Structure formats: structure tokens, C-alpha cells
């Protein structure tokens, strides 16, 4: 089965809050999510085109593990923590399945 991915896109529109958001995500949220989700890899990105756009991507071994996480309590707790700490940051989520991996 191919790897599956959970992507969270957040818009931190207040430039004065971006450094604090970045620190919180790096030191608290991402480590908590990696442990709670049991993922094999995770990445964070800031957009070069839109400095307010932050994305996090979590890699699951397969779609079944991703679906298990989506229906479990760990995601609910992390969403509640995010809402508590960053109530003004709008987010969207997307789930993906690997179609092809290519390395040059």
C-alpha cells in the first residue's frame, strides 16, 4: 500500500505573530502531533510566495493508518490545543495518497 499524507494549511495573517507561531509549532505542536499520530515523517513549510502561509505535512505508512488517526481522539485533542492557542489562525486540511515517487 502506498504512503498517505495529512496536510494542514494555516494562514497566520498577523505578521507580528508569525515568529511566536513558528516557535510554538516547532517546539510543541509538531512534536506532539508526530508522537500522537505515530507518523513515519513530518515536514513544515513557510510559503515563499505568501509569507502568511504555513503548511505541515505528516506521512503515514498507508491510507488505513491515516484513516485511523482521522477517526481517533489524538486529532481532536490537537485541534482543541491549536484552537486554544491560536484562535485567529484559519486552517484547512487535506488528505493525499502517494501516486508516484521519483528520485533522480
Amino acid at each position: 500500500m502506498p504512503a498517505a499524507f495529512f496536510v494542514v494549511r494555516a494562514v497566520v495573517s498577523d505578521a507580528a505573530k508569525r515568529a511566536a507561531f513558528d516557535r510554538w509549532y516547532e517546539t510543541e505542536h509538531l512534536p506532539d502531533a508526530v508522537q500522537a499520530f505515530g507518523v513515519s515523517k513530518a515536514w513544515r513549510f513557510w510559503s515563499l510566495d505568501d509569507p502568511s502561509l504555513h503548511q505541515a505535512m505528516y506521512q503515514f505508512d498507508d491510507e488505513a493508518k491515516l484513516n485511523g488517526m482521522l477517526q481517533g481522539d489524538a486529532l481532536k485533542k490537537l485541534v482543541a490545543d491549536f484552537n486554544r492557542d491560536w484562535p485567529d489562525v484559519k486552517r484547512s486540511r487535506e488528505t493525499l495518497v502517494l501516486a508516484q515517487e521519483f528520485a533522480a
Side-chain angles (χ1 to χ4, degrees):
M1 293 180 95
F5 299 85
F6 181 60
V7 181
V8 180
R9 175 185 166 131
V11 178
V12 186
S13 54
D14 184 345
K17 293 183 179 181
R18 289 186 199 142
F21 178 86
D22 197 44
R23 203 170 26 260
W24 173 82
Y25 218 108
E26 177 184 345
T27 62
E28 292 182 44
H29 194 66
L30 187 68
D32 289 349
V34 166
Q35 182 177 7
F37 295 164
V39 296
S40 53
K41 291 183 183 178
W43 300 265
R44 290 189 324 115
F45 306 91
W46 283 102
S47 172
L48 294 174
D49 300 316
D50 177 355
S52 69
L53 178 59
H54 176 273
Q55 289 191 331
M57 179 181 290
Y58 304 91
Q59 180 179 338
F60 291 80
D61 293 336
D62 54 43
E63 195 174 340
K65 289 186 180 180
L66 169 61
N67 287 332
M69 180 280 294
L70 291 171
Q71 297 175 19
D73 291 334
L75 180 60
K76 291 175 190 168
K77 182 189 180 317
L78 287 164
V79 168
D81 290 348
F82 195 113
N83 291 340
R84 179 198 64 225
D85 293 341
W86 299 98
D88 297 331
V89 174
K90 304 297 180 215
R91 297 180 313 286
S92 61
R93 297 174 190 89
E94 186 173 6
T95 55
L96 307 168
V97 65
L98 185 64
Q100 179 182 12
E101 185 173 345
F102 179 82

